[in-house]
Amino acid sequence: MSERLYAIAIEVNGTKRTGQVTARTSLVDWLREHLNLTGTHVGCEHGICGACSVMLDGAPVRSCLMYAVQADGHRVTTVEGLARPDGQLSVLQDSFCEAHGLQCGYCTPGMLIAAQALLDENPRPSEHEIRDAIGGNLCRCTGYQQIVEAIELAARRMAGEAE
Amino acid sequence: MSTPQTSPYGFRYIGAKRRTKEHPRFVTGRGRYAADIALPGLKHVALVASPHASAKILSICSEAARAVPGVHYVLTGDEFCAATDSLPIGVDAPKVTRWALARERVRYAGEWVAAVVADTRALAEDAAELIEVEYEPLPHVTDAEQAIANTDTLVHPAHGSNVILHRNFVWGPVEAEFANADHRLSFRATWNRNATVPIETFAVAAQWNPATEILDIWASIQMPKYPDQAARALRLPGNAVRVHYDVDVGGSYGVKRGIKHTVLVGYLARRLGMPVRLIEDRLENMRGGDMHGPDRTFDMTAAFDGDGTIRALKIRAIDNVGAYAGRAPFQLGKPVSAICGPYAVKAVAYEPVSVMTNKTPQEAVRGFGQAPTNFALERTMDRVARHLNMDRLAVRQKNLIRKDQFPYTIPSGSTYDSGDYQTVLDKALAAIDYPALVKQRDAARENGRLAGIGISTCLEPSGGNSAFEPLLNPKNETTTWMDSCLVRIDLSGAITGIMGTSSSGQGHETLVSTVIGEVLERDPATIRVIHADSLQALPSNSPVGSRMAIMLGGAAAGAARQIKETLLAIAAHNFECEKEDLDYRDGNVNLKGVPDKMLSWDQLVEIAHRKFHAMPAGVEPGLQAKFVWEVPTGGGLPTPDGRIQIYPCYAFECHIVYVEIDPDTAQPEIKRYVCGHDCGVMINPDIVHGMTYGGIAHGIGAALYEQFTYDDNGQLTSGTFMDYLIPSAHEIPPVKIVDHCTPSPITTFGQKGSGEAGYLGAPAAVANAINDALAPLHVEVNTLPISHLAIWETIEKAKRQ
Amino acid sequence: MKSPPFEYARAASIEEACAFIAQHGDDAKLIAGGQSLVPMMAFRLLRPGWLIDIDAIPALKYVAIETDAARMGACTRQCDIQHDDVLAAAVPLLRQALAHVGHVQTRNRGTAGGSLVHADPSAELPLTAQVLEARMVLRSHSDTRTLPAASFFEGAMTTAVRPDECVVEIQWPVWREKKTGSAFTEISRRHGDFAIVAAAAQVAVDDDARCTRAAFGIGGAAPTPAAFPDLAKRLVGTRLEKETLRDVAHDAAATLEPGSDIHASAGYRRHLAGVLAARVLQSAYDAARAAR
């Protein structure tokens, strides 16, 4: 007995992607295994660590807590979709490099998604607001400090106050 | 904190702000982790785990699982243990055998009993549920002291005891110092089980090529001698296993040592002729991934005088290593390297006891046993201060080794290379404005809060030398602990540095390129660094024991210096002069004082690669150089009375932390945090600071949040991220790091290690702060983690007194 | 940690959803945000044969503020509740509670109805529902009924919702007293975790600062979040003097039979229940006095 497959069509990083998936295929597994978008990482698969964060219709969600069929008809942005159209690093990505806001890089895609969503809504967040926005993304390397600094730097740069 | 754009040490690149080479691929989602390796026809493994802490396996029925469409194989311990060899064990206990799959008996809840291979992981999990294992439960023991006492409940009956290591070291005139001291005190400090728990679980993929007879392995590994151990267990020659070290590792901090996973997957790949992958899910990782850290009880006894001078220490450390032992017992050995911390203590008695129980096996965790030891030492310092009614700073200042005493040899035989502990402490005290902080605490207390300041002054032994191996196991005469680098200049003049291990966030590509760039005076941004596979790589012992800045950095410098010498030799030959008559600048060489008489980098490279007629005699053509070196000060065996130089370098850190506790809810809050840090010359300050911030966060986790808890049935009760509490950005406060640089006299550029920084002093400082907060109630807590519940119970105890 | 296999259907309307669950009975589970359901399926603690997705039903996503109640569709997202200023003015406790619920990512998916039906004893929205005496409207293919919170929550992770029923609406009572204040607090090991103990209160006062109406409750200290309407009545007519407050909070805590786990003992939970109940009542009272 083989599992039933469901046809899905999801706009991923601006491109319509279609596929046939089992109902139980999580969104993150579909992105990684079917679309080969391996930038989104799996950390706990039970909705705590935030490594799998993607944007769904512009808002950050945990892609391990969603089945791909649930995202049918929606819009998904992954870390691969954050760079500028010409492939240059976004201000946020570049700020993470500048402020050393990462080490092993494993939580980084989820952090970037959470941070980008914050800055989209709140261009000048306070430190507390930054910590709240990334409070659902666990990092074991950085102690969060340089991540907070990277997001602060990105906000200043976007406001034209820093190089 | 901001890093200077130019080197504060007078170097060209070392110490200056430099972006890392690794970050761009990570921020774009182009890292290449083990779980990202796509192999055509890849099959997936799921595991059946023991529900019992201890049981006999009576039967395993896997027919229903094998019948599931898409399932390729079910492997059990009978086949696996017959076809592969037991994993090596560090201490002398040959009867303590260990395979990835249990045979006949399970020894902890979560131990793997069967492995299913299927087209997808989901199908493999479905099939795993259909495997019926019949068990006969046996008595179990999870407490180390009970395991010592209860000789009827043996985890490995063939070993004859649950104790796998028990030594008694006496360094210096311990009894005489105790007899002559004004005061003595004893207490118990307990460090419960936690681990670094990286966000990436362990993952490994393997593929057997029957044509070349090579087993290719991609794994999220950080482990010395990994290819060798895998090959041996698989009964393959070492040159039949090729580990791909260009895999990015999603954090490790010691624990990514999935050797059992690797042997399992390697065996399956070869047995089935299919590429096979195992990615631990979080439940497997927490229960059966064998990555728990030290689980340790210290009985501390100190002898000291009325002025605060610590004369001698007696330390008994019982460590619960769980059901099997690899290198875990050695985590009692590394602390011998800094057994008295940064203090001038004349004599130490140390009794390490390593005990097997029916818990998940212990693996190396950041600091390799030093963080728990530092916690016990720093609790001792505070208790001595309280006993004498002395200031805690004064007691530390009384005992800190002075700058003019270096190099300083401690009773257990290690010589500390350099340090200026008092200055670092003073800088940290100034940074936090200590007198104002004391006022803040006292004001908070007057307002009814419980408020406390914690201080710790700790060492990070660095330069990873495994001299504790022969110390704890006389049959093990391993004294070599080398690392290496190959530097190659190709015909285009481009530089490539080749290293032989994987990285898990330490920025080794940045390290190597910075060092090579420094020596050759070439822009590090143009230098490529690659991770050779294990068949092509020079020897490495992997990034353990805070060693890579020293060992890989030193190797890269050594190789680059050979290149530079070759370039000078070529120029000298062509200018018909001595090397001493030449100037080397930016890779170009000219006759001193004669700028016209110059051979450029490109010309020198051209000669080396194409113009043998212009090469000096005896110089190898083609520009490449390897450098393999042994740990400085390493290579010796212990003396009969157990003295040995273990690690070469000693970084110092002091932590000052301010905590307030809500007396009604027992909720703690860290309100201020300053860390003074001296790891010598920082090759990349951003990287050093980053690891230190991370180590502090990890230490706060160990102090307040993280514990692998077990219930009476021997079941892990914190096996998910809902119950194993990794602190978030809410729990970790902003931290201020204050740098100081006392160069190491024995390393290439004066660098020391820093990979364990922060973690080695944070748990002690936080525990001391909580205890300072509780001091007005005349109660204390010496068991980590100090949960809300533990604080509440301690406050309640005070109310009852 | 892959979910066991199941079949999936997306319902276009409430009627269609009700027809699905009537057809499949116990074998079907409704999914909206899935923030509680999906982890349980990943752990294989739940294995429904069908998941009926009600997240796209427009009739389940609305907020309507009326004189006596704020009505919301069951699939209203937690983030939308949190950011709705009009709703926050009418039922301020909701926003205060949501500040403690999960994280940005989970609030962006999680729904009000989902949290209530999941009925975790320490969850914030069930406690809020108990304290405010919210009413849940349940629909089946044949029937509609409305349950007050007190009879909706039956035990830990257990509600009175039948397998053929779907929560379609939640009605949050709006207090019409001008001077009303509310407060929510909790103790958890980490921010965003389920509470060890949570407490919520709403208080109205007259111009003389005397309490005219009060409600409070405690979560995490019993199989269901507990409200204390009878004890709250003792506060009416008082200025929540210290002793009164302490006694009421103490009596509330004394009725609870908390459980023990690795994070907290029963004794600690009971202690926290008393402390936090007094705190939220005081804060709500202070807010009420300061209102207007």
Side-chain angles (χ1 to χ4, degrees):
Chain A
M1 179 200 76
S2 64
E3 274 179 78
R4 185 163 145 195
L5 295 176
Y6 296 78
I8 56 172
I10 301 174
E11 185 189 314
V12 180
N13 299 330
T15 304
K16 184 178 161 186
R17 307 295 296 263
T18 58
Q20 299 274 325
V21 293
T22 61
R24 61 167 153 173
T25 303
S26 65
L27 177 58
V28 65
D29 282 350
W30 184 67
L31 292 167
R32 291 178 50 80
E33 305 286 335
H34 295 240
L35 302 189
N36 201 28
L37 290 171
T38 53
T40 303
H41 296 153
V42 174
C44 71
E45 289 185 290
H46 56 279
I48 308 291
C49 78
C52 66
S53 296
V54 300
M55 288 194 212
L56 183 79
D57 300 327
V61 302
R62 304 203 190 287
S63 61
C64 77
L65 291 192
M66 256 191 106
Y67 299 109
V69 284
Q70 290 176 279
D72 181 30
H74 291 268
R75 188 163 49 86
V76 169
T77 306
T78 70
V79 67
E80 289 92 345
L82 290 183
R84 299 179 202 193
D86 64 358
Q88 293 282 303
L89 298 184
S90 72
V91 173
L92 182 69
Q93 288 170 319
D94 192 72
S95 299
F96 266 64
C97 294
E98 177 64 18
H100 191 57
L102 64 150
Q103 289 171 41
C104 79
Y106 201 77
C107 77
T108 309
M111 283 288 177
L112 288 165
I113 291 288
Q116 188 63 53
L118 169 71
L119 295 174
D120 288 347
E121 274 205 354
N122 178 0
R124 291 314 300 264
S126 65
E127 188 200 324
H128 177 78
E129 287 168 333
I130 292 171
R131 287 182 181 269
D132 198 51
I134 61 168
N137 293 69
L138 298 178
C139 170
R140 282 305 246 182
C141 291
T142 64
Y144 308 102
Q145 178 124 349
Q146 288 160 317
I147 294 175
V148 173
E149 288 168 5
I151 299 169
E152 285 173 340
L153 175 62
R156 285 202 306 279
R157 286 173 159 182
M158 287 171 185
E161 293 168 21
E163 287 291 302
Chain B
M1 64 183 296
S2 65
T3 297
Q5 297 294 317
T6 56
S7 172
Y9 318 115
F11 290 113
R12 180 187 280 235
Y13 301 115
I14 287 171
K17 166 90 187 171
R18 286 202 70 76
R19 287 192 178 198
T20 76
K21 293 187 100 65
E22 293 87 347
H23 288 351
R25 68 175 185 264
F26 292 143
V27 298
T28 50
R30 296 193 185 108
R32 188 164 169 267
Y33 300 87
D36 303 341
I37 305 298
L39 299 168
L42 185 63
K43 306 303 175 204
H44 304 263
V45 177
L47 298 154
V48 177
S50 166
H52 300 287
S54 178
K56 268 188 201 159
I57 300 172
L58 298 180
S59 67
I60 301 176
C61 177
S62 59
E63 270 175 50
R66 287 173 202 264
V68 173
V71 169
H72 296 276
Y73 205 66
V74 176
L75 179 66
T76 62
D78 281 342
E79 177 189 334
F80 183 66
C81 299
T84 63
D85 285 341
S86 167
L87 297 173
I89 185 165
V91 293
D92 184 18
K95 300 281 174 59
V96 180
T97 54
R98 179 190 189 188
W99 279 270
L101 298 179
R103 179 175 51 175
E104 294 170 1
R105 186 180 175 118
V106 290
R107 294 181 170 85
Y108 66 99
E111 182 171 1
W112 301 345
V113 174
V116 181
V117 184
D119 284 340
T120 67
R121 167 75 191 201
L123 280 176
E125 287 187 29
D126 295 348
E129 287 186 324
L130 300 176
I131 293 174
E132 291 171 38
V133 185
E134 194 184 350
Y135 297 96
E136 179 189 320
L138 296 169
H140 67 273
V141 59
T142 52
D143 178 81
E145 284 176 296
Q146 281 177 20
I148 295 172
N150 188 350
T151 51
D152 295 335
T153 308
L154 294 181
V155 180
H156 291 266
H159 181 66
S161 164
N162 287 325
V163 175
I164 194 166
L165 171 78
H166 187 179
R167 296 289 297 273
N168 268 294
F169 295 104
V170 179
W171 299 299
V174 174
E175 293 307 331
E177 294 292 342
F178 264 79
N180 293 329
D182 298 342
H183 304 272
R184 282 155 285 275
L185 67 74
S186 297
F187 73 105
R188 173 167 275 203
T190 302
W191 172 287
N192 276 307
R193 261 181 190 233
N194 64 67
T196 44
V197 191
I199 306 301
E200 181 202 45
T201 60
F202 186 80
V204 54
Q207 183 167 34
W208 172 255
N209 184 329
T212 59
E213 297 192 322
I214 288 177
L215 182 72
D216 281 294
I217 294 172
W218 297 263
S220 50
I221 194 75
Q222 178 215 352
M223 181 178 177
K225 302 180 175 67
Y226 169 70
D228 174 62
Q229 286 196 15
R232 279 176 197 230
L234 288 163
R235 299 175 184 160
L236 289 169
N239 61 10
V241 169
R242 178 162 57 197
V243 177
H244 294 265
Y245 284 125
D246 56 351
V247 171
D248 292 314
V249 180
S252 173
Y253 335 95
V255 301
K256 286 277 177 68
R257 302 199 182 205
I259 183 66
K260 77 168 187 183
H261 316 52
T262 303
V263 177
L264 175 67
V265 166
Y267 175 78
L268 285 167
R270 197 169 163 218
R271 171 80 177 72
L272 302 179
M274 303 169 180
V276 174
R277 180 171 85 184
L278 167 62
I279 304 173
E280 289 175 337
D281 71 19
R282 191 51 72 179
L283 296 176
E284 288 161 352
N285 170 256
M286 301 291 268
R287 241 168 39 130
D290 298 3
M291 57 77 183
H292 294 190
D295 184 355
R296 200 171 290 188
T297 304
F298 295 90
D299 287 312
M300 304 292 289
T301 306
F304 50 101
D305 288 341
D307 66 353
T309 303
I310 315 276
R311 284 171 163 257
L313 295 168
K314 292 181 183 174
I315 303 171
R316 177 176 151 93
I318 302 175
D319 198 26
N320 182 335
V321 294
Y324 297 90
R327 288 178 68 76
F330 288 145
Q331 296 199 77
L332 286 164
K334 169 173 172 175
V336 171
S337 194
I339 196 67
C340 51
Y343 308 114
V345 179
K346 285 188 196 135
V348 181
Y350 183 50
E351 183 184 358
V353 188
S354 194
V355 185
M356 294 183 289
T357 68
N358 298 107
K359 283 186 176 179
T360 297
Q362 188 191 109
E363 195 38 274
V365 159
R366 191 179 220 156
F368 210 62
Q370 191 72 48
T373 308
N374 287 352
F375 157 69
L377 286 170
E378 290 304 292
R379 283 302 300 140
T380 305
M381 299 308 285
D382 271 26
R383 282 189 121 263
V384 166
R386 191 186 287 195
H387 186 94
L388 296 173
N389 200 22
M390 265 179 85
D391 183 78
R392 293 167 298 163
L393 278 171
V395 170
R396 286 182 172 79
Q397 283 155 340
K398 184 85 197 165
N399 291 284
L400 284 176
I401 298 163
R402 295 189 317 274
K403 185 182 180 183
D404 60 19
Q405 291 176 290
F406 292 96
Y408 183 91
T409 302
I410 63 168
S412 55
S414 281
T415 298
Y416 295 170
D417 56 334
S418 67
D420 186 356
Y421 305 156
Q422 185 63 55
T423 299
V424 180
L425 177 57
D426 288 346
K427 278 185 164 183
L429 291 166
I432 205 164
D433 192 353
Y434 189 69
L437 185 66
V438 171
K439 278 188 196 145
Q440 184 181 354
R441 176 196 65 182
D442 294 347
R445 285 178 176 174
E446 292 201 355
N447 287 326
R449 306 277 289 175
L450 295 168
I453 299 168
I455 296 159
S456 69
T457 47
C458 299
L459 291 182
E460 177 181 356
S462 61
N465 185 38
S466 72
F468 41 75
E469 289 185 17
L471 179 68
L472 296 182
N473 179 3
K475 290 184 183 166
N476 178 344
E477 290 203 340
T478 305
T479 60
T480 310
W481 207 238
M482 72 291 205
D483 235 287
S484 51
C485 188
L486 177 69
V487 175
R488 180 181 290 156
I489 320 296
D490 58 42
L491 184 50
S492 77
I495 305 170
T496 304
I498 298 159
M499 55 181 288
T501 186
S502 48
S503 302
S504 41
Q506 304 95 332
H508 296 137
E509 295 165 32
T510 307
L511 165 74
V512 170
S513 60
T514 305
V515 165
I516 295 173
E518 184 72 41
V519 172
L520 294 179
E521 303 179 22
R522 306 292 287 182
D523 183 357
T526 65
I527 298 173
R528 184 175 300 281
V529 178
I530 66 164
H531 302 253
D533 66 57
S534 62
L535 292 185
Q536 298 190 62
L538 298 168
S540 170
N541 276 292
S542 87
V544 296
S546 293
R547 72 197 304 270
M548 288 320 241
I550 298 166
M551 293 304 299
L552 179 59
R561 283 170 182 167
Q562 289 181 24
I563 296 278
K564 188 172 168 181
E565 287 304 310
T566 301
L567 297 174
L568 287 166
I570 293 170
H573 175 70
N574 283 278
F575 294 149
E576 295 178 344
C577 68
E578 297 300 315
K579 280 196 219 171
E580 292 69 31
D581 301 328
L582 298 170
D583 270 340
Y584 180 100
R585 189 166 301 148
D586 302 338
N588 307 318
V589 181
N590 66 290
L591 207 53
K592 271 182 186 159
V594 192
D596 291 354
K597 199 96 164 142
M598 202 240 311
L599 278 168
S600 71
W601 173 266
D602 288 346
Q603 290 169 316
L604 290 164
V605 169
E606 173 109 7
I607 292 169
H609 277 279
R610 305 185 110 144
K611 299 184 173 172
F612 198 72
H613 60 278
M615 287 289 279
V619 175
E620 200 176 83
L623 263 181
Q624 60 175 6
K626 77 168 163 67
F627 192 88
V628 185
W629 75 319
E630 165 69 340
V631 179
T633 74
L637 285 167
T639 61
D641 64 343
R643 288 169 209 263
I644 174 93
Q645 175 81 37
I646 304 186
Y647 281 39
C649 300
Y650 295 81
F652 177 76
E653 59 192 59
C654 70
H655 298 244
I656 306 172
V657 51
Y658 175 60
V659 170
E660 287 187 12
I661 300 169
D662 180 333
D664 297 322
T665 65
Q667 171 125 314
E669 185 189 358
I670 299 174
K671 297 182 85 83
R672 301 280 306 281
Y673 205 115
V674 165
C675 174
H677 187 213
D678 180 359
C679 63
V681 167
M682 295 185 286
I683 292 173
N684 186 304
D686 279 352
I687 289 178
V688 172
H689 294 149
M691 292 196 286
T692 309
Y693 291 129
I696 288 169
H698 178 201
I700 290 171
L704 299 178
Y705 299 104
E706 300 177 36
Q707 185 181 354
F708 291 112
T709 48
Y710 283 80
D711 68 11
D712 292 342
N713 296 318
Q715 299 291 329
L716 177 66
T717 50
S718 52
T720 73
F721 277 4
M722 288 180 283
D723 288 313
Y724 187 89
L725 306 178
I726 294 175
S728 78
H730 290 285
E731 284 72 49
I732 302 303
V735 172
K736 182 177 178 63
I737 296 172
V738 188
D739 292 323
H740 186 74
C741 177
T742 310
S744 173
I746 58 174
T747 62
T748 324
F749 303 103
Q751 74 272 38
K752 302 183 181 185
S754 66
E756 297 154 356
Y759 183 59
L760 294 189
V766 174
N768 284 347
I770 299 277
N771 276 294
D772 187 43
L774 295 172
L777 304 178
H778 307 289
V779 284
E780 65 179 335
V781 51
N782 289 308
T783 298
L784 299 188
I786 306 174
S787 65
H788 289 60
L789 176 61
I791 294 172
W792 180 72
E793 285 177 339
T794 309
I795 294 171
E796 288 298 298
K797 190 170 136 199
K799 285 182 187 162
R800 286 195 301 272
Q801 278 174 3
Chain C
M1 277 174 65
K2 308 300 179 193
S3 298
F6 60 87
E7 308 246 0
Y8 172 86
R10 194 181 276 191
S13 66
I14 295 172
E15 292 69 28
E16 199 176 298
C18 290
F20 267 122
I21 50 177
Q23 182 192 342
H24 295 293
D26 268 345
D27 200 31
K29 287 285 282 182
L30 297 174
I31 184 166
Q35 302 301 286
S36 305
L37 182 63
V38 177
M40 293 181 77
M41 292 187 52
F43 289 132
R44 299 198 172 206
L45 296 172
L46 280 178
R47 26 182 100 233
W50 279 85
L51 277 192
I52 312 302
D53 189 346
I54 56 171
D55 198 47
I57 300 174
L60 291 177
K61 282 201 179 93
Y62 59 89
V63 176
I65 318 275
E66 295 171 0
T67 317
D68 292 329
R71 296 191 296 115
M72 68 173 59
C75 291
T76 307
R77 294 206 196 283
Q78 292 162 8
C79 60
D80 293 331
I81 301 171
Q82 199 180 12
H83 295 133
D84 187 330
D85 291 336
V86 180
L87 179 62
V91 191
L93 198 52
L94 279 173
R95 181 179 280 179
Q96 291 165 335
L98 279 165
H100 300 272
V101 175
H103 301 283
V104 177
Q105 292 98 324
T106 58
R107 292 193 297 270
N108 281 339
R109 287 292 295 164
T111 64
S115 174
L116 296 174
V117 172
H118 185 60
D120 189 290
S122 59
E124 291 82 0
L125 285 178
L127 171 59
T128 307
Q130 284 281 48
V131 169
L132 293 179
E133 300 182 27
R135 294 178 297 276
M136 273 57 82
V137 181
L138 314 183
R139 280 273 294 276
S140 70
H141 66 295
S142 59
D143 196 13
T144 301
R145 60 180 182 140
T146 301
L147 283 182
S151 45
F152 181 85
F153 299 107
E154 293 193 328
M157 329 294 277
T158 313
T159 68
V161 182
R162 294 192 309 254
D164 67 343
E165 283 181 320
C166 170
V167 177
V168 294
E169 183 177 280
I170 303 123
Q171 299 167 354
W172 305 93
V174 174
W175 288 21
R176 299 171 69 182
E177 288 83 351
K178 271 192 172 171
K179 290 171 82 71
T180 295
S182 62
F184 195 106
T185 192
E186 70 177 45
I187 297 293
S188 57
R189 297 280 304 274
R190 288 178 306 188
H191 185 90
D193 284 345
F194 280 125
I196 294 175
V197 171
Q202 189 150 302
V203 172
V205 297
D206 60 19
D207 290 335
D208 205 19
R210 285 189 190 277
C211 173
T212 59
R213 188 180 178 189
F216 74 100
I218 295 164
T224 63
F228 303 92
D230 292 337
L231 286 170
K233 284 194 187 108
R234 275 168 48 187
L235 299 168
V236 173
T238 75
R239 290 196 176 92
L240 270 67
E241 290 80 5
K242 218 173 187 179
E243 280 178 17
T244 314
L245 200 56
R246 198 189 54 204
D247 290 350
V248 165
H250 175 268
D251 289 354
T255 67
L256 299 168
E257 290 293 335
S260 286
D261 59 30
I262 60 169
H263 303 301
S265 63
Y268 180 43
R269 283 200 162 88
R270 189 177 291 113
H271 167 83
L272 283 178
V275 170
L276 298 186
R279 280 192 185 174
V280 285
L281 280 166
Q282 183 69 54
S283 300
Y285 175 72
D286 293 345
R289 286 182 55 185
R292 300 294 148 114

